[in-house]
Amino acid sequence: MSRSVSFLANNKMQVLQSFPRKSILLAISLITIFVVLFRFYGDVPVDYYRNYAPGDAILPVKTNNETPQPGYFKAQPEWNWDVPDYASGWKGYARKPRNRDIVVLTASDGGGHNSAIPNVLERVLDDREKYCRKHGYTNLWLNTSRYDIGDAHRTWSKIPAVSEAFYLHPTAEWVWLLDTDIIIMTPEYDLVGEILGPDAIQRGLMRDTPILDGQLKNNPTHINTPKDFRVEDIDILITQDHQSVNTGSTFFRRSAFTRLLLEMMTDYTMLMGKEHVGAEQDAIKHLMLEHRLVRNHVGIYPQRKFNAYAQGGENMGYRDGDLLVHFAGCWVGGKCQEWFEEFWGKKGHTDVWKPKEQ
Ligand SMILES: *[C@@H]1O[C@H](CO)[C@@H](O)[C@H](O)[C@H]1NC(C)=O
């Protein structure tokens, strides 16, 4: 017994001695470098990496788009969607999301003004599925007729859909709420590089720009977006047309602030149950005008970045290369179908069609 142990020990000594000194020095230096590296990166919370782990189960999400939800929407379990620790603090966080953690959400029942366009829901969903597959984003449709939102106008039901999207996709970091009357015109468009990544937000948001309230000329609010902002604080990305913010194309980031904002927007006594012409759009506008804290967390991009309209001048109307086109207000002149088909035929085009001003 003892002989074999000492034999093993001798053997080990021989192995160690047979190592050239250089390799031992090299090994020690490598270990030192790693120790130093990890000391410096120790500030990044473990959750940051954990959330990026490749082992996340990818199970098909169960959505029931056919039957109505039982009971009032605010009492549904999805309003209790969760937020990881690093996103629940006051100071926020900034990072590039993984593509699959971007949910492209179509919140619609195919009705309303859009039903003037034949098969509009099937067509845009199919198109968005292709866009998502190309980039690895997550495509999601939620039937908004299922939510019991009381007597509030139907367009409020986009907000419960955002909540449900975060709930159904627990790793979703950004939910892109996209109206049905929108066509993605540039399928190559990279959302992270152009819109969602910290660099994109830093260079792209409009600073010190007036928050419009639909009557700016007669009654200026003198309320502007921050002159300077922290990328870590930006939880909502939205655009304004000539009148006000427009929720047709809006990004929401999973964070405690976003959850609170969605809850405040759907406050039945103060906002949702009241007569608001612009419904959920008026709610976010109101909260921005009223609260600096909300302004600090809502980033406004130039309109054409992700909400170009079918018609309009250089700031508003679709131009070649824009990500998408939105047929907002097309029903006013009964032009929905005509405009939709015209743009649908030009999806992904590379020719000169609606050039920018030189
Ligand atoms: C949406 O939900 C409503 C209510 O549950 C249902 O009647 C309708 O058929 C659904 N729409 C679609 C397109 O599945």
Side-chain angles (χ1 to χ4, degrees):
M1 209 33 208
S2 65
R3 272 184 62 176
S4 68
V5 168
S6 72
F7 169 76
L8 274 178
N10 276 342
N11 216 14
K12 210 168 165 189
M13 287 297 287
Q14 274 167 6
V15 169
L16 275 179
Q17 275 163 3
S18 68
F19 263 124
R21 282 231 171 118
K22 267 188 189 162
S23 334
I24 294 175
L25 282 177
L26 189 71
I28 291 172
S29 333
L30 276 176
I31 290 166
T32 315
I33 288 168
F34 274 110
V35 168
V36 170
L37 271 180
F38 275 102
R39 264 195 74 83
F40 276 104
Y41 283 101
D43 297 340
V44 181
V46 174
D47 274 338
Y48 187 105
Y49 295 105
R50 192 175 292 148
N51 197 33
Y52 273 165
D56 295 334
I58 309 174
L59 291 171
V61 163
K62 270 199 208 146
T63 2
N64 179 359
N65 265 330
E66 277 84 51
T67 41
Q69 281 189 344
Y72 188 57
F73 78 101
K74 256 322 188 18
Q76 302 300 323
E78 66 246 22
W79 279 84
N80 200 22
W81 55 271
D82 206 9
V83 169
D85 287 348
Y86 58 82
S88 58
W90 185 249
K91 295 289 185 186
Y93 70 105
R95 70 172 182 188
K96 279 187 173 182
R98 294 186 302 194
N99 281 6
R100 67 170 172 177
D101 292 335
I102 299 169
V103 172
V104 180
L105 169 64
T106 308
S108 167
D109 57 7
H113 297 300
N114 300 326
S115 47
I117 307 159
N119 301 324
V120 63
L121 186 58
E122 290 79 1
R123 291 164 79 189
V124 298
L125 281 177
D126 180 59
D127 196 48
R128 287 171 195 185
E129 179 61 35
K130 286 183 191 132
Y131 177 63
C132 286
R133 231 179 286 147
K134 190 182 187 85
H135 296 271
Y137 308 139
T138 302
N139 195 28
L140 177 66
W141 162 56
L142 291 173
N143 176 358
T144 47
S145 309
R146 290 154 45 244
Y147 308 121
D148 172 7
I149 58 166
D151 293 330
H153 189 278
R154 290 305 319 161
T155 67
W156 282 98
S157 56
K158 291 196 247 174
I159 306 304
V162 174
S163 249
E164 197 177 2
F166 278 121
Y167 177 78
L168 291 171
H169 290 278
T171 67
E173 197 156 310
W174 286 95
V175 170
W176 184 17
L177 174 64
L178 203 54
D179 277 1
T180 315
D181 58 345
I182 285 177
I183 300 174
I184 292 172
M185 294 299 288
T186 304
E188 294 75 34
Y189 205 94
D190 165 30
L191 296 177
V192 176
E194 302 289 340
I195 297 171
L196 299 176
D199 297 346
I201 292 176
Q202 185 68 48
R203 52 166 204 272
L205 291 193
M206 298 171 86
R207 294 167 164 83
D208 202 16
T209 197
I211 294 168
L212 306 183
D213 71 347
Q215 46 173 343
L216 199 66
K217 282 202 182 99
N218 314 326
N219 186 17
T221 59
H222 301 295
I223 298 172
N224 288 15
T225 58
K227 281 197 181 67
D228 212 356
F229 60 89
R230 297 174 66 246
V231 175
E232 291 86 347
D233 288 339
I234 302 300
D235 292 303
I236 319 285
L237 296 169
I238 201 165
T239 60
Q240 299 188 116
D241 58 23
H242 55 305
Q243 305 214 58
S244 110
V245 285
N246 178 277
T247 50
S249 170
T250 313
F251 293 88
F252 297 86
R253 182 163 74 144
R254 182 186 295 273
S255 72
F257 176 85
T258 299
R259 184 171 156 184
L260 184 68
L261 186 81
L262 296 180
E263 301 222 7
M264 295 305 113
M265 284 174 74
T266 47
D267 182 309
Y268 210 84
T269 315
M270 305 296 282
L271 288 166
M272 199 174 155
K274 300 268 180 190
E275 196 53 49
H276 282 285
V277 189
E280 85 295 342
Q281 197 158 280
D282 281 359
I284 192 164
K285 181 180 72 183
H286 163 78
L287 291 168
M288 287 171 78
L289 288 170
E290 200 83 0
H291 305 279
R292 173 189 298 270
L293 180 70
V294 175
R295 292 197 287 282
N296 288 348
H297 286 264
V298 180
I300 299 184
Y301 265 109
Q303 182 176 352
R304 278 183 30 224
K305 190 82 178 173
F306 52 81
N307 201 9
Y309 288 177
Q311 294 208 316
E314 204 65 8
N315 292 329
M316 181 188 288
Y318 171 86
R319 297 292 184 273
D320 294 342
D322 286 350
L323 166 60
L324 59 78
V325 63
H326 181 189
F327 302 97
C330 62
W331 63 87
V332 176
K335 296 278 189 192
C336 294
Q337 188 177 354
E338 188 186 324
W339 290 354
F340 188 91
E341 299 303 346
E342 188 189 5
F343 277 87
W344 188 260
K346 281 288 190 178
K347 243 177 334 123
H349 76 101
T350 48
D351 57 332
V352 178
W353 182 40
K354 292 182 185 290
K356 297 173 188 81
E357 263 165 33
Q358 291 308 307

